[in-house]
Structure formats: C-alpha cells, structure tokens
Amino acid sequence: MIKRNSIINSNPLPNEPQTPDNLVSIATPAIKTPPERLANLDAIRGFALLGILFLNIYFMANNFYGYAPHHPEKTADIVIEVISNFVFEGRFISLFSMLFGAGLWLQFCKAGNDDTAHHTAKKRLHWLMIFGLVHGVFIFSGDILLTYGLCGLLAYKYCALAPKTLLAKSIKFILLAMVVIALLSITIEDEPFYRGSAYYLQQLDIWTGSYATQVMMQGMMVGYMLLIIPISLLWYGAGLMLIGIYLMKQGYFHRGFSAKQLGIFAVTGIIFSGFDSVLSLSSSAMLKEISGIFMMLGAIPTALIYWHIIVKLCQNNPLKLTLLQNLGRVSLSFYILQSILGVLLLRHWMPQWQMSFDRIDYMLLAIALSVLQLSLAALYVRIFNQGPLEYLMRVLSKRINT
C-alpha cells in the first residue's frame, strides 16, 4: 500500500550559525510576490494534475489494489507497466508536492511579518485536510489533500531557512521516510490478487457493490493512512515540499536546470526506475512493496526534468501552454472532479469495465478524461476567476480569522 503515494518571522533557527546563506534567507520573507499569476506554476500544476490521473485511474476502480493483472500476465500489460514505472509512477505526485512547497513559499513571502497572514496560510492547510478527509471517505480514498495539509504544516515551519539548509533537511526527511517504508515493506503478506481469483472476485463485489459498503471501506483506509502518514509519508512529502521551496529560492522556477544537471537527473531516474521495474514484476509481495522505495527515489529526478520542460516551454508567459494553465488555476476543484468522474464510471455506471479492462483500456480512459478536463477548464476560466473549491477554501480561511 505504500507504493501507491514554525518559523514565521525573520529569525534563523536558535542553534543555526549566522552564515552568509542564512543572512540571505533572513531578508527573503520581505519579498512580495508579483500581483499577476505565475504562468509557469499554473502550467506545471495542470500538467501534474493530468499525470496523477494516469495512476489513480486504476484505484478508482479497485480502491485497495488498483489494477488486477491477468494470470499469467499479458505482454501488453507488462510493457505498459514498465513504461509507467519510468514515466508516470510517483512522478506527478512528486511534482505536485514540489509545487505545493513552491506555493507555500509564495504565501510565506506575501505574508511577510504579518502574523495574521501567516495564520491564514496555516488555516488553509487545516481546511485542506478537512477537504481531504471528506474526499477520502466519501469519494476516493486515494486522496492526497490530507497528506499535503499535514506535510505543508511541517514544511511551512522551514520556509525561512537558507537554500543549502533547506536542501540538506529535505534529504534527511526523505531518507528517514525511506528507512521506515523499507521496514514496513518486509512485513507485507498480501493474498494473491489477479484477474479471476477468489480474492479478486471478493474485492470486485465490494467496489462495484453498495455505496455504503464502499464508504465504510474507504473510511478504514483513510484511518490506516492517518497511522502511516506521521511515521513515513509526512517526512517524504515534506521533504519534497522543501525541495520545491529550494527551487524557488534558487531561481529554477524561472530558468530551469543546466544540461549537466538534467543529465544527472536522467541517469539516476533511469537507474532507480530499472530497479523498480525488476522488483515490481516479481511474484513476491514483499519485493513488490520494496520496489516502491526505488519508485519514490526515481520519481524525484524525473519530476525535476518535467519541471524543466514546462518552464522552458511556458517561459512564464500567460499565452503559452494555456490549456495547462487553465487547468492549473482550478486544480483543486478539478482534482476532486476527476475522482468523481472516475469513481462513477468504474464503480457505478460501467462496473463491467473492471472485468474487461486491460491496462491499455485504462490508459485510453485516462486520456479521454484528460481531454474532457482540459476542455471544461478552458470554458470555466472564461467565466470565473476561481474554481468553486478554491473560492470556498479562501472564504473559509479568512472567515476563521474574523
């Protein structure tokens, strides 16, 4: 199940020496964000939202195991799974986490020395967790909002740190998470799950059955995640968010990376993805879970490459990659919308698809839903400036302070 996915003033940490880097970071919170939207962030956010769907689509069908492989597995399924290990798996969640950190940094800068503004920023994270709980229990337990809210509260504490300190802390957080996940992996003993097995039919009955049963199961899964997050995912997610803050402070949001850096990212991403692919195709449940560690490690450099590509293509220009920017502006609302559409289709409207769909069919469905989201977002932003949930989040966060 693992594989799936306050420093608010200008003072450094009490025990941190006053290095030149720290002096730079002390002055940074006074910087104000530009009044216009940042096109690069919107484009990357829209791109990441579409990418998440290509992994979540399996779990929108069977919320516990995701895709049910054939026994023996089809060659086409194996090929798509390997491609996914290199291109999709964990990449877009990592990218989204970095973006979330970048957003936290912008809020931190905008707040400056205004304690009320910092309080409002934290309240947004509290409301995000509430949205996540509702989403996870009543719609789709593969929720990321709850995790992001918790990770964001931790990451926000370190926004004032110097870039080098931020990067070092992010590495520590991620390594801590990897150790815990490795220890959890060796305890995994899953029942055989493949198309047509007795356990598969039992799961199929749950996820195509009554809504009340699904809500009960999803509530249990969210409860399990609440136990797992503090000991592993909290540190992994917060570590990625700190990387996002680091990228903003170092200017990678505007210029992207050098050819040398991209080469390093590509090599490390391929190596980790190779290990992930070999282990994930094993018949051992424990090795499959351990593969998740390599997936998470390989996802980070690949996500950075995606970051670079979008930055270079968009160039922070509101007239470039507009379809992705439109989606990025309403990403919270459309994240929930894609869950609703996927769950309705695969569990309630067309439950027979779970019996007949292979990986290629799920990919085609994800493409169709992606085109639908891009089209709806383009129409929506012509009329409204904010998504409905974005607006609700803003109102609730401000109202709590009045």
Side-chain angles (χ1 to χ4, degrees), residues 7-77:
I7 300 173
I8 59 173
N9 51 44
S10 59
N11 296 321
L13 291 175
N15 296 325
E16 191 169 14
Q18 299 268 340
T19 65
D21 280 317
N22 283 330
L23 295 177
V24 171
S25 71
I26 291 171
T28 305
I31 299 174
K32 298 297 181 181
T33 58
E36 70 276 5
R37 294 191 66 90
L38 299 176
N40 281 354
L41 284 186
D42 281 337
I44 299 172
R45 192 178 293 113
F47 178 70
L49 180 61
L50 293 181
I52 286 173
L53 177 60
F54 282 81
L55 273 302
N56 280 350
I57 195 70
Y58 301 122
F59 292 90
M60 290 172 184
N62 184 314
N63 212 158
F64 195 77
Y65 281 101
Y67 182 72
H70 294 271
H71 188 68
E73 288 195 65
K74 290 186 175 182
T75 301
D77 277 0

Side-chain angles (χ1 to χ4, degrees), residues 3-4 55 84-92 276 295 299:
K3 185 176 181 179
R4 290 257 298 159
L55 273 302
S84 177
N85 289 341
F86 281 83
V87 178
F88 293 109
E89 189 81 38
R91 275 64 181 163
F92 296 99
D276 175 27
M295 177 273 290

Side-chain angles (χ1 to χ4, degrees), residues 315-336:
Q315 298 177 3
N316 216 29
N317 186 336
L319 300 179
K320 294 185 176 182
L321 301 182
T322 53
L323 288 177
L324 291 178
Q325 288 189 53
N326 293 336
L327 188 58
R329 289 174 60 182
V330 291
S331 58
L332 175 59
S333 297
F334 274 67
Y335 170 68
I336 301 298

Side-chain angles (χ1 to χ4, degrees), residues 385-396:
N385 291 324
Q386 279 187 310
L389 292 184
E390 284 82 359
Y391 174 77
L392 180 60
M393 176 79 75
R394 182 178 181 181
V395 171
L396 290 172

Side-chain angles (χ1 to χ4, degrees), residues 317-379:
N317 186 336
L319 300 179
K320 294 185 176 182
L321 301 182
T322 53
L323 288 177
L324 291 178
Q325 288 189 53
N326 293 336
L327 188 58
R329 289 174 60 182
V330 291
S331 58
L332 175 59
S333 297
F334 274 67
Y335 170 68
I336 301 298
L337 176 62
Q338 70 177 212
S339 294
I340 294 173
L341 291 175
V343 166
L344 285 175
L345 277 169
L346 293 166
R347 299 190 203 169
H348 303 286
W349 293 344
M350 305 295 290
Q352 67 272 19
W353 284 355
Q354 290 199 43
M355 290 288 291
S356 61
F357 267 24
D358 294 331
R359 287 190 182 274
I360 186 62
D361 300 303
Y362 282 106
M363 292 296 99
L364 292 173
L365 178 58
I367 291 171
L369 291 176
S370 296
V371 172
L372 177 62
Q373 287 183 92
L374 289 170
S375 302
L376 289 177
L379 292 173

Side-chain angles (χ1 to χ4, degrees), residues 260-332:
K260 181 179 179 180
Q261 288 171 320
L262 290 172
I264 294 173
F265 296 157
V267 171
T268 53
I270 290 171
I271 291 174
F272 285 129
S273 298
F275 281 113
D276 175 27
S277 296
V278 171
L279 294 177
S280 65
L281 294 174
S282 168
S283 59
S284 166
M286 185 181 71
L287 291 180
K288 285 180 179 290
E289 290 297 322
I290 291 176
S291 73
I293 297 173
F294 294 99
M295 177 273 290
M296 290 178 169
L297 293 175
I300 298 172
T302 310
L304 292 172
I305 293 174
Y306 291 163
W307 176 295
H308 173 86
I309 292 172
I310 300 299
V311 164
K312 289 300 182 181
L313 291 177
C314 186
Q315 298 177 3
N316 216 29
N317 186 336
L319 300 179
K320 294 185 176 182
L321 301 182
T322 53
L323 288 177
L324 291 178
Q325 288 189 53
N326 293 336
L327 188 58
R329 289 174 60 182
V330 291
S331 58
L332 175 59

